[in-house]
Amino acid sequence: MKNIAVIGAGTMGNGIAHTFAQNGFKVSLIDISEEALKTGIETISKNLDRQVTKEILTDAQKNETLLNIKPVTDLKEGVSEADLVVEAASENLNIKLDIFKKLDEFCKPATILATNTSSISITQIAAVTKRADQVIGMHFMNPVPVMKLVEIISGYSTSKTTLNHITKLAEQLGKNPVPVNDYPGFVANRILMPMLNEAIETLYNGVAGVKEIDTVMKLGMAHPMGPLQLADFIGLDVCHAILEVMYEGFKNPKYAPCPLLVNMVRAGKLGIKTGEGFYDYSESRKAEKVSDQFS
């Protein structure tokens, strides 16, 4: 595999594109929004600058990485020569199903189709294609260039050949691929999201304040970031969407989003991305300070 297409220039998409490009792959970064593509490339450039400052990369490697990325607004053009497509669009089932129907039509017969979904069924996504054996989950962690874990999720029809290809590819990226089965939330979010939701319930019930809850988990459980701050970093809308998928998938009330989380999402208080969540990020330097912990 040499040619990679990444769909979505947001936080996960630009991080995935960055990682592939840094490891010598040619990457088409695809988004319908030119503004999103511009922002995505700027984010990659800034993150590369941090790596140069920390002497992880040289200036020459930074420039080579950027040259490996081609921004594209047309889906068909962007995926036509891809050996692998990694979809990193919104965590919305209907959007993903529509994308995969088009990918099945636009891509070469041998192209493997991967999704970065953190909770949605790989089997359900694969079912809208005529190549279910070549559809797989690659759940990268945020920030992608830094975090080593990649959950590799096989759907019901995913072939062992596809699994082996993607496992080896993840290793080429310097990641630690971990195979998991196709159930809502997989492993990472099945464990993480109920914890974050319980932290929000604890706040909702008035047991303690935001900083107090986060301090207990950081000092008492050795977490690098408190659960409420982490929820802000992930995006409260993303947390809400994942919990909804798990609640729908298991029909178990323990996965139901806390009413406080529901109301915050309705109010547009989504965390760092909107400048306000459980913490106030209205000053850009505050948001940068949080993000820098993961750089």
Side-chain angles (χ1 to χ4, degrees):
M1 291 185 182
K2 293 295 181 185
N3 298 314
I4 310 297
V6 178
I7 300 174
T11 300
M12 295 305 296
N14 71 59
I16 294 167
H18 173 159
T19 301
F20 273 105
Q22 185 178 319
N23 285 277
F25 293 87
K26 297 296 182 183
V27 180
S28 293
L29 180 58
I30 306 165
D31 201 295
I32 57 173
S33 167
E34 290 187 0
E35 185 62 30
L37 284 170
K38 179 182 177 183
T39 301
I41 296 296
E42 288 174 351
T43 299
I44 293 169
S45 183
K46 289 177 183 177
N47 288 335
L48 287 167
D49 284 337
R50 290 192 182 102
Q51 289 177 300
V52 171
T53 300
K54 294 180 178 183
E55 298 184 347
I56 298 170
L57 297 178
T58 64
D59 282 316
Q61 288 172 318
K62 172 201 168 181
N63 294 333
E64 185 178 351
T65 298
L66 289 172
L67 288 173
N68 282 338
I69 303 172
K70 177 185 177 183
V72 182
T73 55
D74 182 79
L75 179 64
K76 186 174 183 178
E77 175 192 345
V79 303
S80 61
E81 295 301 318
D83 302 308
L84 168 69
V85 179
V86 182
E87 171 272 321
S90 174
E91 192 71 355
N92 178 291
L93 176 62
N94 291 328
I95 290 174
K96 291 186 187 297
L97 295 182
D98 181 61
I99 289 172
F100 273 79
K101 287 177 185 176
K102 292 175 180 175
L103 292 178
D104 196 38
E105 177 186 349
F106 297 156
C107 292
K108 300 181 297 185
T111 302
I112 293 176
L113 308 181
T115 174
N116 183 57
T117 182
S118 55
S119 59
I120 295 172
S121 169
I122 307 304
T123 301
Q124 188 173 6
I125 292 173
V128 301
T129 76
K130 296 181 178 67
R131 60 178 89 194
D133 61 319
Q134 294 165 224
V135 178
I136 196 165
M138 290 186 80
H139 181 209
F140 291 87
M141 304 294 123
N142 184 30
V144 182
V146 177
M147 301 293 278
K148 293 293 185 181
L149 174 65
V150 182
E151 282 186 301
I152 308 294
I153 310 101
S154 293
Y156 185 84
S157 300
T158 305
S159 70
K160 288 186 178 180
T161 300
T162 298
L163 174 60
N164 290 338
H165 276 315
I166 295 304
T167 299
K168 290 176 182 176
L169 181 66
E171 290 171 347
Q172 282 182 254
L173 299 176
K175 304 299 185 185
N176 294 329
V178 178
V180 303
N181 292 322
D182 186 21
Y183 292 97
F186 315 130
V187 172
N189 282 321
R190 185 168 178 172
I191 295 170
L192 174 64
M193 286 301 154
M195 185 194 76
L196 300 187
N197 200 41
E198 192 62 31
I200 299 169
E201 285 277 3
T202 303
L203 176 66
Y204 179 60
N205 291 331
V207 177
V210 171
K211 291 182 180 179
E212 288 76 14
I213 291 168
D214 278 355
T215 298
V216 167
M217 296 304 290
K218 285 190 288 186
L219 300 184
M221 313 305 165
H223 290 192
M225 178 180 281
L228 300 177
Q229 190 180 24
L230 178 58
D232 277 353
F233 184 78
I234 293 169
L236 302 190
D237 54 334
V238 175
C239 295
H240 179 269
I242 294 170
L243 285 164
E244 287 281 15
V245 167
M246 293 168 64
Y247 180 55
E248 179 65 26
F250 292 115
K251 306 297 184 186
N252 188 324
K254 76 178 182 179
Y255 298 116
C258 174
L260 175 58
L261 175 61
V262 174
N263 274 343
M264 291 179 73
V265 171
R266 286 173 177 168
K269 310 300 183 183
L270 309 181
I272 288 176
K273 68 176 80 175
T274 59
E276 184 180 351
F278 293 106
Y279 292 86
D280 181 3
Y281 306 94
S282 55
E283 296 177 33
S284 60
R285 63 181 179 83
K286 290 183 180 179
E288 287 173 2
K289 185 177 180 181
V290 173
S291 297
D292 282 346
Q293 295 182 36
F294 291 84
S295 300

